[in-house]
C-alpha cells in the first residue's frame, strides 16, 4: 500500500524524507585516488556546514513560534481563565500572542531550510558511509544514487513506496550556492503530488506543490531588495472552465511584516487588491487587517495588537462542539475596555461619517495551540479620506476607547505606503518562471515551465534507473586531497576593459593520486570568490567562457598543462571580491582534480568598469587581479519615449517600478527634475531626466538614495 501524505503536512513539515544509515555494513576499501575520489571530495566540499550541522537561524524574530501541522486533534480542555459562561453570553478575557501571518512565513522558510538540511545530511552520509557514485545502493529501505558533475551534485532516492526524489546542489552563474529538490509522489486516493523546493541560503526560498486533483500551493521569498519579499500564491481550475488565481505578497522590513491580498478569476480577470495586513515578526503578534472598501474603511484590530486597556469581549452566539469542547463565534456583541462597555453596531447604515465605530469581530479556538484568537472590526463611512489619514483617525479613536496598541498608527501608515505601492504595481513587478504575473494566462504559462522542470527531474531518473546496483561500500581516505599545483610559468597576463588575456600560463604537478592513466585533463580559468583572508573559496568559483583549453592525456608520474587566450568577465556576480584563478579538471566531465591557484598579472587596468548590473571595480593586489562586485547604491534607468507627453503619475509609476525591483519607497517622496527641483503635480512632462527619493539595497541593508529615469 502506498503511503498517504497529507497535503497540509507536506506544506507545513517539508522535512519528511529521512534516510536510514542502516545496512551500510563493513567498508570494503578506502579510496584516495582516481576520479571517483575526486567526485567524493567535490561532494563534500560543496556542502554547506551550517545546513549539515543544523545551525539555521533566520535572524528575523526573537521568538520563533513552533511549526505545527494544522491537523484536528482532541483538545486537552478549554483554559478556564480565557472563557466564562454567564448563561446568556460567552465572555473572553485573555488572548495570548499568536500571528497567523508569522507562523505561515516561519513554517515555509524554516521548512525549506530543514528539508535542504536533511538532503545535505544524506549527501554527507553517501560520501562518508557508502562512498560509491553512479551506482544504485540500498540504504535502509530506500535505493539511492549519488552523481557528481563539474558544477553540481545530484542525489536520486527511490523510496520504499516508489516515491521518487531528485536532489541537486549546484553553484549558479552568479557564484551562489543553490539547493533544488524535486519529489514525485503517489497517494492512496489515486492522486499524485509534485513538490519542488529551492534554496539559496539566506537569499531565496521557493516551495511549489502541484496535486493532480487541482490543488496548488506556491511560495517564493527573496531579499535582493534589502528586505524579505514573500509571496504565497495559488491557481485553481474548477468545473465548467472556472479559473482563479490569488497572491499574498508581504514584506518583512524594519521590524514589521505587511502586505496585501490580490485575486482574479475568469469572471473578473484583472488583479484586485482585497486587503492589507500587518504583523510583528519579532514578537509574533498579528496587528491589523485593513480594507479600503467602496466608500468605507474596515480596520480589523487583532487582540494581540492591544497592549493594555482591554477587559473582555462577549458573544451570544458562540458555538460549542460537545465532542471537541471548542468555542468560536461568528459575531461579537460587546467590547469592554477600561473606559466602558461598547455595543457592536449591527446596521451599516448607522456608521458615522469620518469617524470609526465598533461593528463586529470574532473569536476562535486554535487547535494544537489551545488558545483563543480573534479580532475586533471597526469601520467608518468615508469617500475622501486617504488611508494614511484613516490610520491617524483610528489611532485617535482607539485612544478614546481606552486602548493602547503595540504599534503607532504613523508607522502603520508608512508601512501601508509600501504595501499599497506593491499591490498597485504587483502585476508589473512580480515575475515567475519568466512571466509577468498579470493574468491567468501568464500564470498558466509559468506553470508549464514548472511542469517542464518536473519532467526534466523525472528524465534524470529515467536515464539511470537501469544502472548497476552495488553492495560495495567505500570510505574516502583521510589522506585524499586535491592535487597541489606548481607554477611552472606565471605567463604574460593582462586585464583591460572587461577581458582577461592570458599568455603562457603553465602549471605542473607530480601530486597525481586523483589522475587516471589515459584520461585527458585541461587547465580551466575562472573567477573565485575570496574569503576574508583573501583566499579563493573553491565552491564559489565560476568558470569563464573564452578560448578553448588544450587537453593533455595523463601518463606517468606528473603532468603539465597550459592556458592562453581571452576570457570575458561576467557583469553580475554575488557581491564580494573575486580573483582570477586556474585549476585542473577532467576534459570529459569537468571534474576538478586540483587545488585552485590565483593567476599573477603583469598589467591590470585599475578602476571602475562600466556596468549596468552592479558596481564593478578592478584593482591589483600582489600581482593578482581583484574584481569587486557591489550592489549599486543609486539607480539609473533609460527608456525610449513612446509618446510626446507624460503625466506626473505616469513618470512616477515608471520610477516606482524600478524602486520596487531594487529597494523600497521613501515615505512622502515627490517627483523631481534631475537638478532636484520639484515637479509640479499635474504638469505635462516630456523627454528629460527625473528622479525620486527612495531606499536602495546596499551591503549593509537599505540606505536612502535616488532612482533616476531618463526618457530619450
Amino acid at each position: 500500500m502506498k503511503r498517504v501524505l497529507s497535503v497540509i503536512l507536506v506544506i507545513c513539515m517539508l522535512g519528511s524524507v529521512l534516510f536510514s544509515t542502516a545496512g551500510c555494513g563493513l567498508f570494503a576499501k578506502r579510496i584516495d585516488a582516481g576520479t571517483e575520489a575526486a567526485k567524493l571530495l567535490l561532494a563534500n566540499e560543496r556542502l554547506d556546514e551550517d545546513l549539515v550541522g543544523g545551525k539555521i537561524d533566520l535572524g528575523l524574530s526573537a521568538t520563533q513560534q513552533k511549526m505545527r501541522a494544522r491537523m484536528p486533534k482532541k483538545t486537552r480542555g478549554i483554559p478556564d481563565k480565557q472563557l466564562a459562561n454567564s448563561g446568556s453570553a460567552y465572555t473572553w478575557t485573555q488572548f495570548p500572542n499568536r500571528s497567523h501571518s508569522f507562523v505561515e512565513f516561519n513554517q515555509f522558510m524554516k521548512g525549506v531550510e530543514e528539508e535542504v538540511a536533511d538532503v545535505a545530511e544524506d549527501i554527507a552520509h553517501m560520501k562518508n558511509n557508502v562512498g560509491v557514485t553512479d551506482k544504485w545502493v540500498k540504504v535502509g529501505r530506500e535505493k539511492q544514487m549519488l552523481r557528481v558533475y563539474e558544477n553540481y551534485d545530484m542525489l536520486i532516492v527511490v523510496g520504499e513506496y516508489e516515491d521518487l526524489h531528485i536532489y541537486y546542489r549546484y553553484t549558479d552563474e552568479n557564484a551562489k550556492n543553490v539547493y533544488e529538490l524535486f519529489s514525485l509522489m503517489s497517494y492512496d486516493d489515486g492522486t499524485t503530488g509534485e513538490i519542488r523546493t529551492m534554496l539559496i541560503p539566506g537569499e531565496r526560498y521557493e516551495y511549489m506543490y502541484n496535486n493532480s486533483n487541482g490543488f496548488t500551493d506556491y511560495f517564493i521569498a527573496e531579499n535582493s531588495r534589502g528586505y524579505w519579499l514573500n509571496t504565497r500564491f495559488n491557481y485553481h481550475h474548477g468545473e465548467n472552465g472556472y479559473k482563479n488565481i490569488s497572491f499574498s505578497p508581504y514584506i518583512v522590513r524594519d521590524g514589521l511584516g505587511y502586505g496585501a491580498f490580490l485575486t482574479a478569476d475568469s469572471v473578473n480577470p484583472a488583479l484586485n487588491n482585497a486587503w492589507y495586513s500587518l504583523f510583528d515578526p519579532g514578537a509574533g503578534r498579528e496587528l491589523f487587517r485593513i480594507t479600503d472598501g467602496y466608500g468605507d474603511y474596515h480596520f480589523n484590530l487583532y487582540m494581540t495588537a492591544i497592549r493594555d486597556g482591554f477587559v473582555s469581549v462577549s458573544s451570544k452566539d458562540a458555538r460549542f462542539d460537545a465532542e471537541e469542547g471548542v468555542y468560536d463565534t461568528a459575531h461579537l456583541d460587546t467590547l469592554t475596555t477600561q473606559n466602558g462597555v461598547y455595543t457592536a453596531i449591527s446596521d451599516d447604515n448607522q456608521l458615522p461619517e469620518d469617524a470609526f465605530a465598533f461593528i463586529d469581530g470574532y473569536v476562535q479556538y486554535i487547535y494544537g495551540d489551545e488558545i483563543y484568537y480573534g479580532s475586533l472590526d471597526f469601520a467608518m463611512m468615508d469617500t475622501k479620506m486617504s488611508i494614511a489619514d484613516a490610520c491617524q483617525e483610528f489611532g485617535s479613536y482607539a485612544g478614546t476607547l481606552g486602548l493602547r496598541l503595540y504599534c503607532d498608527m504613523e508607522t502603520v501608515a508608512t508601512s501601508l505606503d509600501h504595501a499599497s505601492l506593491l499591490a498597485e504595481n504587483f502585476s508589473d513587478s512580480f515575475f515567475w518562471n519568466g512571466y509577468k504575473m498579470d493574468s491567468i494566462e501568464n500564470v498558466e504559462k509559468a506553470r508549464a515551465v514548472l511542469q517542464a522542470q518536473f519532467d526534466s527531474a523525472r528524465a534524470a531518473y529515467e536515464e539511470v534507473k537501469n544502472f548497476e546496483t552495488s553492495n560495495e561500500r567505500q570510505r574516502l581516505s583521510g589522506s585524499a586531497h586535491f592535487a597541489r599545483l606548481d607554477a611552472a610559468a606565471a605567463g604574460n597576463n593582462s586585464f583591460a576593459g572587461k577581458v582577461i588575456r592570458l599568455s603562457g600560463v603553465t602549471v605542473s604537478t607530480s601530486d597525481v593520486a586523483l589522475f587516471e592513466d589515459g584520461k585527458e585533463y585541461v587547465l580551466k580559468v575562472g573567477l573565485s570568490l575570496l574569503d576574508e583572508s583573501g583566499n579563493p573559496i573553491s565552491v564559489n568559483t565560476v568558470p569563464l567562457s573564452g578560448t578553448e583549453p588544450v587537453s593533455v592525456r595523463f601518463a606517468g608520474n606528473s603532468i603539465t598543462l597550459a592556458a592562453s587566450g581571452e576570457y570575458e568577465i561576467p557583469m553580475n556576480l554575488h557581491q564580494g571580491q573575486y580573483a582570477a584563478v586556474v585549476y585542473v579538471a577532467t576534459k570529459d566531465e569537468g571534474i576538478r582534480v586540483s587545488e585552485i591557484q590565483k593567476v599573477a598579472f603583469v598589467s591590470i587596468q585599475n578602476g571602475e568598469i562600466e556596468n549596468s548590473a552592479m558596481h564593478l571595480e578592478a584593482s591589483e593586489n600582489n600581482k593578482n587581479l581583484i574584481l569587486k562586485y557591489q550592489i549599486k547604491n543609486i539607480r539609473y534607468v533609460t527608456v525610449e519615449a513612446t509618446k510626446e507627453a507624460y503625466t506626473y503619475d505616469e513618470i512616477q509609476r515608471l520610477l516606482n517600478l524600478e524602486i520596487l525591483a531594487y529597494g523600497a519607497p521613501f515615505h512622502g517622496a515627490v517627483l523631481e527634475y534631475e537638478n532636484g527641483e520639484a515637479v509640479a503635480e499635474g504638469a505635462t512632462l516630456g523627454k528629460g531626466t527625473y528622479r525620486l527619493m527612495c531606499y536602495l539595497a546596499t551591503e549593509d541593508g537599505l540606505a536612502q538614495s535616488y532612482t533616476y529615469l531618463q526618457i530619450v
Side-chain angles (χ1 to χ4, degrees):
M1 182 181 70
K2 297 181 179 179
R3 60 183 169 184
V4 179
L5 292 179
S6 162
V7 169
I8 300 178
L9 271 173
V10 167
I11 293 171
C12 296
M13 302 292 285
L14 292 171
S16 61
V17 184
L18 300 175
F19 304 118
S20 169
T21 60
C24 289
L26 297 175
F27 295 97
K29 62 180 180 179
R30 293 177 181 270
I31 60 170
D32 60 4
T35 303
E36 187 161 39
K39 288 182 175 182
L40 293 174
L41 283 169
L42 280 175
N44 180 62
E45 189 178 68
R46 289 168 176 164
L47 292 179
D48 189 313
E49 290 184 3
D50 286 343
L51 290 173
V52 175
K55 303 171 187 173
I56 298 171
D57 181 10
L58 289 176
L60 295 168
S61 64
T63 55
Q64 296 281 330
Q65 294 188 24
K66 185 178 180 181
M67 288 171 50
R68 299 179 185 275
R70 296 179 191 173
M71 302 294 289
K73 66 176 184 179
K74 298 291 184 181
T75 171
R76 293 191 294 270
I78 303 297
D80 293 337
K81 292 182 179 179
Q82 296 183 31
L83 173 69
N85 181 1
S86 64
S88 60
Y90 294 95
T91 301
W92 292 263
T93 58
Q94 294 184 21
F95 294 91
N97 277 354
R98 192 185 195 282
S99 168
H100 286 320
S101 299
F102 175 74
V103 168
E104 177 182 286
F105 166 82
N106 187 51
Q107 69 190 19
F108 273 107
M109 300 286 279
K110 299 292 285 186
V112 167
E113 287 189 323
E114 288 165 2
E115 173 76 348
V116 169
D118 286 341
V119 172
E121 294 279 5
D122 296 329
I123 294 175
H125 169 258
M126 284 289 285
K127 180 193 75 72
N128 294 327
N129 300 325
V130 178
V132 175
T133 62
D134 304 318
K135 296 178 182 177
W136 290 108
V137 179
K138 287 289 186 69
V139 180
R141 296 181 177 180
E142 297 170 333
K143 187 170 69 170
Q144 301 185 14
M145 179 187 293
L146 177 63
R147 309 203 77 193
V148 180
Y149 298 85
E150 176 180 7
N151 203 36
Y152 70 93
D153 307 320
M154 176 169 62
L155 179 66
I156 306 176
V157 178
V158 180
E160 180 183 4
Y161 301 102
E162 298 302 312
D163 290 343
L164 180 61
H165 309 276
I166 300 100
Y167 304 136
Y168 299 94
R169 186 267 180 244
Y170 58 92
T171 302
D172 70 8
E173 66 276 9
N174 296 323
K176 296 178 180 179
N177 301 326
V178 183
Y179 291 84
E180 191 170 13
L181 323 176
F182 294 88
S183 294
L184 310 170
M185 298 160 297
S186 298
Y187 306 120
D188 276 350
D189 62 2
T191 64
T192 59
E194 302 171 321
I195 297 175
R196 175 182 172 272
T197 305
M198 195 272 279
L199 169 67
I200 301 176
E203 294 191 19
R204 186 174 180 89
Y205 298 69
E206 293 187 12
Y207 170 78
M208 308 288 162
Y209 180 79
N210 286 335
N211 190 287
S212 59
N213 65 8
F215 177 81
T216 68
D217 198 12
Y218 307 132
F219 175 84
I220 296 176
E222 57 92 24
N223 69 350
S224 63
R225 299 166 178 82
Y227 53 87
W228 284 104
L229 174 60
N230 314 280
T231 304
R232 186 177 182 183
F233 50 108
N234 301 95
Y235 166 89
H236 178 68
H237 188 179
E239 297 179 357
N240 302 320
Y242 176 80
K243 299 175 182 178
N244 170 268
I245 55 174
S246 62
F247 298 88
S248 301
Y250 51 96
I251 295 154
V252 179
R253 173 188 164 206
D254 298 335
L256 277 180
Y258 44 90
F261 178 79
L262 304 99
T263 186
D265 59 25
S266 305
V267 180
N268 300 294
L271 276 177
N272 291 303
N273 181 35
W275 65 70
Y276 303 108
S277 60
L278 292 93
F279 66 97
D280 180 343
R285 291 190 184 94
E286 205 77 21
L287 300 174
F288 284 98
R289 174 177 288 185
I290 301 174
T291 307
D292 180 5
Y294 298 97
D296 62 6
Y297 280 111
H298 281 261
F299 277 60
N300 292 102
L301 174 67
Y302 291 97
M303 306 299 190
T304 55
I306 302 172
R307 184 186 296 270
D308 55 40
F310 171 80
V311 176
S312 67
V313 289
S314 65
S315 173
K316 296 177 182 177
D317 65 352
R319 294 188 289 261
F320 174 70
D321 185 307
E323 182 179 355
E324 298 289 351
V326 173
Y327 296 80
D328 64 5
T329 73
H331 177 75
L332 289 179
D333 297 295
T334 62
L335 162 66
T336 303
T337 74
Q338 62 184 8
N339 285 7
V341 179
Y342 301 88
T343 302
I345 295 175
S346 57
D347 185 353
D348 286 349
N349 294 324
Q350 297 177 5
L351 281 177
E353 289 193 16
D354 300 331
F356 279 96
F358 170 51
I359 66 166
D360 205 344
Y362 75 91
V363 172
Q364 69 177 114
Y365 188 73
I366 305 297
Y367 287 105
D369 289 340
E370 298 180 13
I371 62 170
Y372 287 105
Y373 181 81
S375 77
L376 302 166
D377 189 5
F378 302 92
M380 74 169 174
M381 297 297 296
D382 176 80
T383 56
K384 303 170 188 166
M385 191 177 294
S386 70
I387 198 162
D389 289 340
C391 286
Q392 296 295 339
E393 179 66 26
F394 181 78
S396 299
Y397 172 70
T400 65
L401 296 180
L403 299 177
R404 198 158 66 96
L405 309 180
Y406 277 106
C407 59
D408 67 274
M409 297 310 294
E410 184 175 346
T411 301
V412 172
T414 302
S415 300
L416 286 177
D417 265 0
H418 195 173
S420 60
L421 187 67
L422 176 65
E424 290 165 10
N425 298 283
F426 184 80
S427 60
D428 286 320
S429 61
F430 183 68
F431 290 77
W432 178 38
N433 287 341
Y435 290 95
K436 188 185 295 185
M437 292 292 95
D438 59 354
S439 66
I440 292 176
E441 180 183 7
N442 273 358
V443 170
E444 291 175 334
K445 290 178 180 178
R447 292 184 72 244
V449 174
L450 175 63
Q451 190 57 55
Q453 293 170 339
F454 283 117
D455 293 343
S456 178
R458 190 178 283 104
Y461 164 70
E462 292 293 330
E463 181 184 345
V464 301
K465 70 179 182 180
N466 294 322
F467 274 30
E468 176 186 352
T469 298
S470 173
N471 293 319
E472 184 181 22
R473 294 294 189 268
Q474 301 178 140
R475 181 186 290 278
L476 186 65
S477 171
S479 63
H481 62 276
F482 290 108
R484 301 178 182 89
L485 297 179
D486 298 317
N492 184 21
N493 310 313
S494 64
F495 174 78
K498 302 174 183 178
V499 178
I500 293 172
R501 294 176 176 85
L502 302 186
S503 177
V505 174
T506 305
V507 300
S508 63
T509 183
S510 56
D511 184 11
V512 293
L514 299 184
F515 291 74
E516 295 180 357
D517 282 337
K519 203 172 190 67
E520 292 186 89
Y521 296 86
V522 294
L523 188 61
K524 291 209 163 192
V525 181
L527 288 184
S528 186
L529 182 66
L530 302 179
D531 63 19
E532 293 180 356
S533 300
N535 299 314
I537 304 173
S538 56
V539 296
N540 298 116
T541 299
V542 179
L544 295 181
S545 58
T547 305
E548 194 71 24
V550 177
S551 63
V552 175
R553 189 180 303 275
F554 176 71
N557 298 316
S558 66
I559 189 170
T560 299
L561 301 106
S564 292
E566 294 187 352
Y567 306 87
E568 188 166 342
I569 63 171
M571 292 293 98
N572 192 3
L573 288 180
H574 182 58
Q575 65 180 12
Q577 291 190 330
Y578 292 77
V581 298
V582 292
Y583 55 93
V584 181
T586 61
K587 179 185 178 182
D588 55 355
E589 294 183 281
I591 300 299
R592 180 167 63 86
V593 295
S594 79
E595 65 182 4
I596 287 180
Q597 188 175 89
K598 292 181 184 177
V599 176
F601 284 75
V602 297
S603 173
I604 294 175
Q605 185 182 65
N606 293 328
E608 187 173 345
I609 300 168
E610 183 179 349
N611 182 12
S612 60
M614 301 185 76
H615 177 76
L616 177 54
E617 189 173 350
S619 63
E620 182 269 340
N621 181 15
N622 196 25
K623 295 186 179 181
N624 298 131
L625 168 65
I626 304 299
L627 293 169
K628 186 174 184 180
Y629 290 78
Q630 290 178 295
I631 298 173
K632 285 194 170 185
N633 58 5
I634 194 165
R635 298 296 307 176
Y636 291 91
V637 59
T638 301
V639 298
E640 289 190 16
T642 57
K643 54 185 180 180
E644 290 296 321
Y646 291 84
T647 66
Y648 182 104
D649 289 343
E650 287 173 332
I651 298 293
Q652 189 173 47
R653 185 171 186 274
L654 289 172
L655 280 161
N656 279 332
L657 285 174
E658 189 76 5
I659 290 167
L660 283 171
Y662 295 98
F666 186 91
H667 183 62
V670 297
L671 185 62
E672 299 175 351
Y673 294 104
E674 185 179 17
N675 63 5
E677 178 187 349
V679 176
E681 289 198 43
T684 300
L685 305 171
K687 295 180 180 179
T689 302
Y690 307 90
R691 72 178 192 178
L692 197 61
M693 186 178 287
C694 61
Y695 294 102
L696 292 177
T698 70
E699 293 182 45
D700 300 317
L702 288 174
Q704 188 174 323
S705 185
Y706 282 95
T707 292
Y708 288 80
L709 170 69
Q710 183 181 26
I711 301 178
V712 296

